[in-house]
CSV table of all heavy atoms in Angstrom, one decimal:
chain,number,residue,atom,x,y,z
A,1,TYR,N,-8.4,-8.1,-7.4
A,1,TYR,CA,-8.9,-6.9,-6.7
A,1,TYR,C,-8.7,-7.1,-5.2
A,1,TYR,O,-8.2,-6.2,-4.5
A,1,TYR,CB,-10.4,-6.7,-7.1
A,1,TYR,CG,-11.0,-5.5,-6.6
A,1,TYR,CD1,-10.4,-4.2,-6.7
A,1,TYR,CD2,-12.2,-5.6,-5.9
A,1,TYR,CE1,-11.1,-3.1,-6.2
A,1,TYR,CE2,-12.8,-4.5,-5.3
A,1,TYR,CZ,-12.2,-3.3,-5.6
A,1,TYR,OH,-12.8,-2.1,-5.1
A,2,LYS,N,-9.2,-8.1,-4.7
A,2,LYS,CA,-9.0,-8.5,-3.2
A,2,LYS,C,-7.5,-8.4,-2.7
A,2,LYS,O,-7.3,-7.8,-1.7
A,2,LYS,CB,-9.6,-9.8,-2.9
A,2,LYS,CG,-11.1,-9.8,-2.7
A,2,LYS,CD,-11.6,-11.2,-2.3
A,2,LYS,CE,-11.3,-11.4,-0.8
A,2,LYS,NZ,-11.9,-12.6,-0.2
A,3,ASN,N,-6.6,-8.9,-3.5
A,3,ASN,CA,-5.2,-8.9,-3.1
A,3,ASN,C,-4.7,-7.5,-3.2
A,3,ASN,O,-3.9,-7.1,-2.3
A,3,ASN,CB,-4.4,-9.8,-4.1
A,3,ASN,CG,-4.6,-11.2,-3.9
A,3,ASN,OD1,-5.1,-11.7,-2.9
A,3,ASN,ND2,-4.4,-12.0,-5.0
A,4,MET,N,-5.2,-6.7,-4.1
A,4,MET,CA,-4.8,-5.3,-4.1
A,4,MET,C,-5.3,-4.5,-2.9
A,4,MET,O,-4.7,-3.7,-2.3
A,4,MET,CB,-5.2,-4.6,-5.4
A,4,MET,CG,-4.5,-5.1,-6.7
A,4,MET,SD,-5.2,-4.4,-8.2
A,4,MET,CE,-4.7,-2.7,-8.0
A,5,LEU,N,-6.6,-4.8,-2.6
A,5,LEU,CA,-7.1,-4.0,-1.4
A,5,LEU,C,-6.4,-4.5,-0.1
A,5,LEU,O,-6.1,-3.7,0.8
A,5,LEU,CB,-8.7,-4.4,-1.2
A,5,LEU,CG,-9.5,-3.9,-2.3
A,5,LEU,CD1,-11.0,-4.4,-2.0
A,5,LEU,CD2,-9.5,-2.4,-2.3
A,6,GLU,N,-6.2,-5.7,0.0
A,6,GLU,CA,-5.3,-6.3,1.1
A,6,GLU,C,-3.9,-5.5,1.2
A,6,GLU,O,-3.4,-5.3,2.3
A,6,GLU,CB,-5.1,-7.8,1.1
A,6,GLU,CG,-6.5,-8.5,1.4
A,6,GLU,CD,-6.5,-10.0,1.2
A,6,GLU,OE1,-5.3,-10.5,0.9
A,6,GLU,OE2,-7.6,-10.6,1.3
A,7,GLY,N,-3.3,-5.5,0.0
A,7,GLY,CA,-1.9,-4.8,-0.1
A,7,GLY,C,-2.0,-3.4,0.4
A,7,GLY,O,-1.2,-3.0,1.1
A,8,ILE,N,-3.1,-2.8,0.1
A,8,ILE,CA,-3.2,-1.3,0.4
A,8,ILE,C,-3.3,-1.2,1.9
A,8,ILE,O,-2.7,-0.3,2.7
A,8,ILE,CB,-4.5,-0.7,-0.2
A,8,ILE,CG1,-4.1,-0.4,-1.7
A,8,ILE,CG2,-4.9,0.6,0.5
A,8,ILE,CD1,-5.4,0.0,-2.6
A,9,THR,N,-4.2,-2.1,2.6
A,9,THR,CA,-4.3,-2.2,4.0
A,9,THR,C,-3.0,-2.4,4.8
A,9,THR,O,-2.6,-1.8,5.7
A,9,THR,CB,-5.3,-3.3,4.3
A,9,THR,OG1,-6.6,-2.9,3.8
A,9,THR,CG2,-5.6,-3.3,5.9
A,10,GLU,N,-2.2,-3.4,4.3
A,10,GLU,CA,-1.0,-3.8,4.8
A,10,GLU,C,0.0,-2.7,4.7
A,10,GLU,O,0.8,-2.2,5.7
A,10,GLU,CB,-0.4,-5.0,4.0
A,10,GLU,CG,-1.1,-6.3,4.5
A,10,GLU,CD,-0.6,-7.4,3.7
A,10,GLU,OE1,0.4,-7.3,2.9
A,10,GLU,OE2,-1.3,-8.5,3.8
A,11,ALA,N,0.1,-1.9,3.5
A,11,ALA,CA,1.0,-0.9,3.4
A,11,ALA,C,0.7,0.4,4.2
A,11,ALA,O,1.6,1.0,4.8
A,11,ALA,CB,1.0,-0.3,1.8
A,12,LYS,N,-0.6,0.6,4.5
A,12,LYS,CA,-1.0,1.6,5.4
A,12,LYS,C,-0.6,1.3,6.9
A,12,LYS,O,-0.2,2.2,7.6
A,12,LYS,CB,-2.5,1.9,5.4
A,12,LYS,CG,-3.1,2.6,4.0
A,12,LYS,CD,-4.4,2.8,4.1
A,12,LYS,CE,-4.9,3.6,2.8
A,12,LYS,NZ,-6.4,3.8,2.7
A,13,GLU,N,-0.8,0.1,7.3
A,13,GLU,CA,-0.4,-0.4,8.5
A,13,GLU,C,1.2,-0.1,8.8
A,13,GLU,O,1.5,0.3,9.9
A,13,GLU,CB,-0.8,-1.8,8.8
A,13,GLU,CG,-2.3,-2.0,8.9
A,13,GLU,CD,-2.6,-3.5,9.1
A,13,GLU,OE1,-1.7,-4.4,8.9
A,13,GLU,OE2,-3.9,-3.8,9.3
A,14,ILE,N,1.9,-0.5,7.8
A,14,ILE,CA,3.3,-0.3,7.8
A,14,ILE,C,3.8,1.1,8.0
A,14,ILE,O,4.5,1.5,9.0
A,14,ILE,CB,4.1,-0.9,6.6
A,14,ILE,CG1,4.0,-2.4,6.7
A,14,ILE,CG2,5.6,-0.4,6.6
A,14,ILE,CD1,4.5,-3.1,5.3
A,15,LEU,N,3.0,2.0,7.3
A,15,LEU,CA,3.4,3.5,7.4
A,15,LEU,C,2.9,4.0,8.7
A,15,LEU,O,3.5,5.0,9.2
A,15,LEU,CB,2.6,4.1,6.3
A,15,LEU,CG,3.2,4.0,5.0
A,15,LEU,CD1,2.1,4.7,3.9
A,15,LEU,CD2,4.5,4.6,4.8
A,16,GLU,N,1.9,3.5,9.4
A,16,GLU,CA,1.5,3.9,10.7
A,16,GLU,C,2.4,3.3,11.8
A,16,GLU,O,2.7,3.9,12.8
A,16,GLU,CB,0.0,3.4,10.9
A,16,GLU,CG,-1.0,4.1,10.1
A,16,GLU,CD,-2.4,3.5,10.4
A,16,GLU,OE1,-2.5,2.6,11.1
A,16,GLU,OE2,-3.3,4.0,9.6
A,17,GLU,N,2.9,2.2,11.7
A,17,GLU,CA,3.6,1.6,12.8
A,17,GLU,C,5.1,1.5,12.6
A,17,GLU,O,5.8,1.5,13.6
A,17,GLU,CB,3.1,0.0,12.9
A,17,GLU,CG,1.6,0.0,13.2
A,17,GLU,CD,1.0,-1.4,13.2
A,17,GLU,OE1,1.9,-2.3,12.9
A,17,GLU,OE2,-0.1,-1.6,13.3
A,18,GLU,N,5.7,1.4,11.3
A,18,GLU,CA,7.0,1.2,11.1
A,18,GLU,C,7.8,2.5,11.3
A,18,GLU,O,7.3,3.6,10.8
A,18,GLU,CB,7.3,0.5,9.7
A,18,GLU,CG,8.7,0.3,9.4
A,18,GLU,CD,9.3,-0.8,10.4
A,18,GLU,OE1,8.6,-1.9,10.5
A,18,GLU,OE2,10.3,-0.5,11.0
A,19,LYS,N,9.0,2.3,11.8
A,19,LYS,CA,9.9,3.5,12.1
A,19,LYS,C,11.0,3.6,11.1
A,19,LYS,O,11.6,4.6,10.7
A,19,LYS,CB,10.6,3.6,13.5
A,19,LYS,CG,9.4,3.5,14.6
A,19,LYS,CD,8.5,4.8,14.6
A,19,LYS,CE,7.6,4.7,15.7
A,19,LYS,NZ,6.6,5.8,15.6
A,20,ASP,N,11.5,2.4,10.5
A,20,ASP,CA,12.6,2.3,9.7
A,20,ASP,C,12.3,3.1,8.3
A,20,ASP,O,11.3,2.7,7.6
A,20,ASP,CB,12.8,0.8,9.3
A,20,ASP,CG,14.1,0.6,8.4
A,20,ASP,OD1,14.1,1.1,7.3
A,20,ASP,OD2,15.0,0.2,9.0
A,21,PRO,N,13.1,4.0,7.9
A,21,PRO,CA,12.8,5.0,6.9
A,21,PRO,C,12.9,4.0,5.5
A,21,PRO,O,12.0,4.5,4.7
A,21,PRO,CB,14.0,5.9,6.8
A,21,PRO,CG,14.5,5.9,8.2
A,21,PRO,CD,14.3,4.5,8.8
A,22,GLU,N,13.6,3.2,5.4
A,22,GLU,CA,13.6,2.4,4.1
A,22,GLU,C,12.5,1.5,3.9
A,22,GLU,O,12.0,1.5,2.8
A,22,GLU,CB,15.0,1.5,4.2
A,22,GLU,CG,15.2,0.6,2.8
A,22,GLU,CD,16.4,0.0,2.8
A,22,GLU,OE1,17.4,0.2,3.6
A,22,GLU,OE2,16.6,-0.9,2.0
A,23,LEU,N,11.9,0.9,5.0
A,23,LEU,CA,10.8,0.1,4.9
A,23,LEU,C,9.5,1.0,4.7
A,23,LEU,O,8.5,0.7,4.0
A,23,LEU,CB,10.4,-0.7,6.2
A,23,LEU,CG,11.5,-1.8,6.4
A,23,LEU,CD1,11.1,-2.5,7.8
A,23,LEU,CD2,11.2,-2.9,5.3
A,24,ARG,N,9.6,2.2,5.3
A,24,ARG,CA,8.5,3.1,5.0
A,24,ARG,C,8.4,3.6,3.7
A,24,ARG,O,7.3,3.8,3.0
A,24,ARG,CB,8.5,4.4,6.0
A,24,ARG,CG,8.2,4.0,7.5
A,24,ARG,CD,8.5,5.3,8.4
A,24,ARG,NE,7.7,6.4,7.9
A,24,ARG,CZ,6.4,6.7,8.2
A,24,ARG,NH1,5.8,5.7,9.0
A,24,ARG,NH2,5.7,7.7,7.8
A,25,GLU,N,9.6,3.9,3.1
A,25,GLU,CA,9.7,4.3,1.6
A,25,GLU,C,9.1,3.3,0.7
A,25,GLU,O,8.4,3.4,-0.2
A,25,GLU,CB,11.1,4.6,1.3
A,25,GLU,CG,11.3,5.2,-0.2
A,25,GLU,CD,10.5,6.4,-0.4
A,25,GLU,OE1,10.2,7.2,0.5
A,25,GLU,OE2,10.2,6.5,-1.6
A,26,MET,N,9.5,2.0,1.1
A,26,MET,CA,9.1,0.8,0.2
A,26,MET,C,7.5,0.6,0.3
A,26,MET,O,6.9,0.5,-0.7
A,26,MET,CB,9.7,-0.5,0.6
A,26,MET,CG,11.1,-0.6,0.3
A,26,MET,SD,11.9,-2.1,1.0
A,26,MET,CE,11.0,-3.3,0.2
A,27,ALA,N,7.0,0.9,1.5
A,27,ALA,CA,5.6,0.7,1.7
A,27,ALA,C,4.8,1.9,1.0
A,27,ALA,O,3.8,1.7,0.4
A,27,ALA,CB,5.2,0.8,3.2
A,28,LYS,N,5.4,3.0,1.0
A,28,LYS,CA,4.8,4.2,0.4
A,28,LYS,C,4.7,4.0,-1.1
A,28,LYS,O,3.7,4.3,-1.8
A,28,LYS,CB,5.6,5.5,0.7
A,28,LYS,CG,5.2,6.8,0.1
A,28,LYS,CD,3.9,7.2,0.6
A,28,LYS,CE,3.4,8.6,0.2
A,28,LYS,NZ,3.2,8.7,-1.3
A,29,MET,N,5.9,3.5,-1.7
A,29,MET,CA,5.8,3.2,-3.1
A,29,MET,C,4.9,2.2,-3.6
A,29,MET,O,4.1,2.3,-4.5
A,29,MET,CB,7.2,2.7,-3.6
A,29,MET,CG,8.3,3.8,-3.5
A,29,MET,SD,10.0,3.1,-3.9
A,29,MET,CE,9.7,2.5,-5.6
A,30,GLU,N,4.7,1.1,-2.7
A,30,GLU,CA,3.7,0.1,-3.0
A,30,GLU,C,2.3,0.6,-2.8
A,30,GLU,O,1.5,0.3,-3.7
A,30,GLU,CB,3.9,-1.1,-2.1
A,30,GLU,CG,3.0,-2.4,-2.3
A,30,GLU,CD,3.2,-3.5,-1.5
A,30,GLU,OE1,4.1,-3.4,-0.5
A,30,GLU,OE2,2.5,-4.5,-1.7
A,31,LEU,N,2.0,1.4,-1.9
A,31,LEU,CA,0.8,2.0,-1.6
A,31,LEU,C,0.4,2.9,-2.9
A,31,LEU,O,-0.9,2.8,-3.4
A,31,LEU,CB,0.7,2.9,-0.4
A,31,LEU,CG,-0.7,3.6,-0.1
A,31,LEU,CD1,-1.8,2.5,0.2
A,31,LEU,CD2,-0.5,4.4,1.2
A,32,ASP,N,1.4,3.7,-3.4
A,32,ASP,CA,0.9,4.6,-4.6
A,32,ASP,C,0.7,3.7,-5.8
A,32,ASP,O,-0.3,4.1,-6.5
A,32,ASP,CB,2.1,5.5,-4.7
A,32,ASP,CG,2.3,6.6,-3.7
A,32,ASP,OD1,1.4,6.8,-2.9
A,32,ASP,OD2,3.5,7.1,-3.7
A,33,GLU,N,1.4,2.7,-6.0
A,33,GLU,CA,1.2,1.9,-7.1
A,33,GLU,C,-0.1,1.1,-7.1
A,33,GLU,O,-0.9,1.1,-8.1
A,33,GLU,CB,2.4,0.8,-7.2
A,33,GLU,CG,2.3,0.0,-8.5
A,33,GLU,CD,3.5,-1.0,-8.5
A,33,GLU,OE1,4.5,-0.7,-7.9
A,33,GLU,OE2,3.3,-2.0,-9.2
A,34,LEU,N,-0.5,0.7,-6.0
A,34,LEU,CA,-1.7,0.0,-5.7
A,34,LEU,C,-2.9,0.9,-5.9
A,34,LEU,O,-3.9,0.6,-6.6
A,34,LEU,CB,-1.9,-0.9,-4.4
A,34,LEU,CG,-0.9,-2.0,-4.2
A,34,LEU,CD1,-0.8,-2.5,-2.9
A,34,LEU,CD2,-1.4,-3.3,-5.1
A,35,GLN,N,-2.8,2.0,-5.2
A,35,GLN,CA,-4.0,3.0,-5.3
A,35,GLN,C,-4.1,3.4,-6.8
A,35,GLN,O,-5.3,3.7,-7.1
A,35,GLN,CB,-3.7,4.1,-4.4
A,35,GLN,CG,-3.8,3.7,-2.8
A,35,GLN,CD,-3.7,4.9,-2.0
A,35,GLN,OE1,-2.8,5.8,-2.2
A,35,GLN,NE2,-4.3,4.9,-0.8
A,36,GLU,N,-3.0,3.6,-7.4
A,36,GLU,CA,-3.1,4.0,-8.9
A,36,GLU,C,-3.8,2.9,-9.8
A,36,GLU,O,-4.6,3.4,-10.7
A,36,GLU,CB,-1.8,4.4,-9.5
A,36,GLU,CG,-1.7,4.9,-10.8
A,36,GLU,CD,-0.4,5.2,-11.2
A,36,GLU,OE1,0.5,5.4,-10.5
A,36,GLU,OE2,-0.1,5.2,-12.5
A,37,GLY,N,-3.6,1.7,-9.4
A,37,GLY,CA,-4.2,0.6,-10.2
A,37,GLY,C,-5.7,0.3,-9.9
A,37,GLY,O,-6.4,-0.4,-10.6
A,38,ILE,N,-6.3,0.8,-8.6
A,38,ILE,CA,-7.6,0.4,-8.2
A,38,ILE,C,-8.7,0.9,-9.2
A,38,ILE,O,-9.5,0.1,-9.6
A,38,ILE,CB,-7.8,0.9,-6.8
A,38,ILE,CG1,-7.1,0.0,-5.8
A,38,ILE,CG2,-9.3,1.0,-6.5
A,38,ILE,CD1,-7.6,-1.3,-5.7
A,39,PRO,N,-8.7,2.1,-9.7
A,39,PRO,CA,-9.7,2.5,-10.5
A,39,PRO,C,-9.7,1.7,-11.8
A,39,PRO,O,-11.0,1.4,-12.3
A,39,PRO,CB,-9.3,4.1,-10.9
A,39,PRO,CG,-8.5,4.5,-9.7
A,39,PRO,CD,-7.6,3.2,-9.3
A,40,GLY,N,-8.7,1.3,-12.3
A,40,GLY,CA,-8.6,0.6,-13.6
A,40,GLY,C,-9.3,-0.8,-13.5
A,40,GLY,O,-10.1,-1.3,-14.2
A,41,ILE,N,-8.9,-1.6,-12.4
A,41,ILE,CA,-9.5,-2.8,-12.1
A,41,ILE,C,-10.9,-2.8,-11.7
A,41,ILE,O,-11.7,-3.8,-11.9
A,41,ILE,CB,-8.7,-3.6,-11.1
A,41,ILE,CG1,-8.9,-5.1,-11.1
A,41,ILE,CG2,-8.9,-3.1,-9.6
A,41,ILE,CD1,-7.9,-5.9,-10.3
A,42,GLU,N,-11.3,-1.7,-11.0
A,42,GLU,CA,-12.7,-1.6,-10.7
A,42,GLU,C,-13.6,-1.4,-11.9
A,42,GLU,O,-14.7,-2.0,-12.1
A,42,GLU,CB,-13.0,-0.3,-9.8
A,42,GLU,CG,-12.5,-0.6,-8.3
A,42,GLU,CD,-12.7,0.5,-7.4
A,42,GLU,OE1,-12.8,1.6,-8.0
A,42,GLU,OE2,-12.7,0.3,-6.2
A,43,GLU,N,-13.1,-0.7,-13.0
A,43,GLU,CA,-13.8,-0.6,-14.2
A,43,GLU,C,-13.9,-1.8,-14.9
A,43,GLU,O,-14.8,-2.2,-15.5
A,43,GLU,CB,-13.1,0.5,-15.2
A,43,GLU,CG,-13.3,2.0,-14.6
A,43,GLU,CD,-14.7,2.3,-14.6
A,43,GLU,OE1,-15.4,2.1,-15.6
A,43,GLU,OE2,-15.2,2.9,-13.5
């Protein structure tokens, strides 16, 4: 759970700071995947 929360924080930081479209797209995909998995692991 902690690794997922840290991954979400890192992905958000990349989206805020990174200009490269490819890296931003990868970060966006990772963020969506992690946020989708959070409710399940919390349960």
Side-chain angles (χ1 to χ4, degrees):
Y1 182 54
K2 279 186 71 175
N3 288 336
M4 290 176 73
L5 292 177
E6 290 170 2
I8 288 173
T9 301
E10 291 173 4
K12 286 180 177 179
E13 288 175 354
I14 291 173
L15 287 172
E16 288 176 2
E17 300 170 4
E18 186 59 56
K19 304 298 183 185
D20 186 290
E22 189 173 338
L23 288 176
R24 286 178 59 83
E25 181 60 27
M26 289 175 62
K28 179 67 168 63
M29 289 176 62
E30 183 177 1
L31 179 62
D32 290 344
E33 184 178 338
L34 289 170
Q35 288 179 330
E36 187 177 334
I38 285 292
I41 197 169
E42 285 181 342
E43 285 302 309

